[in-house]
């Protein structure tokens, strides 16, 4: 019995080491190798589980990235079959007539505007005259501007927007270099755990952009030349997402292997949403995002949403999941 327990522990440690290295699939003779890009974050973890939910004829290699632009570049170069990226970046690529297609959701929510614990800023309107850290061209940038507009503040006159990398925002806030920052998890929750910050607002507005954040991207040529492969990936993505959503403790423990303390992840948990299904309202919110991005000068034209989003894969995945439940 003791030997069996030890063996199980060794296997679990081996799985965690594979997860941390970014490789959960190995090609064996007769299998088709698939390369998928994602980030090593709790909200983008699903690709690391694809191998558990995909047909045995496929071997999935997961490649971790830190920059969504690099993910898109690798996809267009043919180095990836599918990759996660932000919906804002997908819209930007499509507005330049790059042949990208969003085939499933990946993550929703994840943003927050954070202020110092000892600050007198209690509502977004209190940001008037304050310095706010942000990263231009991101989902968080758009949501920050939406928040300022909702509060009746002009981002060019009433506040000072200061470009600071996400990794450096916490230090800037704790040292008083800025009065607030708008970022994605886990940085807002890190500010809470480390005692110098508190969340002012979660910047989601249903009548505009809503909670959409990131999706899984492929190319038109991949869909035309190997639709079956993309469908297998999307269905695996759906199954992995459903599993993690149903096993929240497992999700947090696995995600902590990426280097974020479980305590931080548990605080962030309600502000992170693993996703796969895209309904009509999802695409409408994406169009609202594109319109806002055009108003902000982030893109010069709004792409055709019917070309950018292909919902047929998630519809088939939904059928696959329903059929497996009734089998």
């Amino acid at each position: 019995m003791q030997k069996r327990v030890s063996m199980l522990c060794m296997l679990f440690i081996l799985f965690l080491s594979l997860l941390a290295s970014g490789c959960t699939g190995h090609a064996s003779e007769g299998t088709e190798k698939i390369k998928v890009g994602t980030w090593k974050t709790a909200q983008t973890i699903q690709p690391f589980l694809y191998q558990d939910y995909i047909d045995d004829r496929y071997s999935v290699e997961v490649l971790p990235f830190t920059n969504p632009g690099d993910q898109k570049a690798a996809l267009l170069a043919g180095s990836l079959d599918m990759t996660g990226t932000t919906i804002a970046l997908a819209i930007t690529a499509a507005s330049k007539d790059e042949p990208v297609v969003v085939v499933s959701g990946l993550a929703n929510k994840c943003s927050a505007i954070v202020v110092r614990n000892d600050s007198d800023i209690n509502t977004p309107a209190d940001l008037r005259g304050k310095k706010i850290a942000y990263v231009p061209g991101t989902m968080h940038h758009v949501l920050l501007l939406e928040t300022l507009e909702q509060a009746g503040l002009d981002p060019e006159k009433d506040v000072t927007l200061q470009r600071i990398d996400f990794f450096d925002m916490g230090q800037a806030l704790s040292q008083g270099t800025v009065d607030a920052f708008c970022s994605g998890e886990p940085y807002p929750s890190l500010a809470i755990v480390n005692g110098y910050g508190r969340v002012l607002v979660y910047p989601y507005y249903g009548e505009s952009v809503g909670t959409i954040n990131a999706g899984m991207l492929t190319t038109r040529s991949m869909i035309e030349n190997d639709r079956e492969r993309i469908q297998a990936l999307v269905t695996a993505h759906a199954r992995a997402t459903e599993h993690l959503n149903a096993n929240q403790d497992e999700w947090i423990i696995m995600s902590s292997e990426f280097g974020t303390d479980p305590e931080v992840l548990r605080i962030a948990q309600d502000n992170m949403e693993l996703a796969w299904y895209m309904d009509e309202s999802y695409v409408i919110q994406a169009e609202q995002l594109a319109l806002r991005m055009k108003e902000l000068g982030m893109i010069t034209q709004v792409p055709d949403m019917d070309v950018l989003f292909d919902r047929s894969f998630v519809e088939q995945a939904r059928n696959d999941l329903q059929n497996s439940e009734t089998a």
Side-chain angles (χ1 to χ4, degrees), residues 103-104 227 231 234-235 276-280 310-323:
V103 291
S104 81
R227 185 179 183 87
Q231 184 61 65
V234 172
T235 300
W276 65 272
Y277 189 67
M278 302 185 301
D279 57 15
E280 292 181 6
D310 188 337
R311 294 178 54 240
S312 65
F313 293 97
V314 294
E315 291 299 342
Q316 181 60 51
R318 184 165 70 167
N319 291 335
D320 292 340
L321 266 63
Q322 289 175 343
N323 290 337

Side-chain angles (χ1 to χ4, degrees), residues 143-193:
L143 293 171
L144 171 60
L145 295 178
E146 286 289 303
T147 300
L148 295 175
E149 182 178 280
Q150 294 270 344
L153 300 178
D154 186 329
E156 296 183 0
K157 299 177 181 178
D158 297 326
V159 298
T160 299
L161 299 183
Q162 189 168 336
R163 179 172 184 163
I164 297 178
D165 288 340
F166 293 128
F167 302 101
D168 299 323
M169 287 182 179
Q171 182 178 2
L173 183 67
S174 64
Q175 294 179 346
T177 305
V178 297
D179 303 292
F181 69 72
C182 186
S183 177
E185 297 290 0
Y187 300 111
S189 296
L190 274 170
I192 295 172
V193 169

Side-chain angles (χ1 to χ4, degrees), residues 48 69 153 210 217 232 259 275 289:
F48 290 98
L153 300 178
L217 228 65
L289 172 60

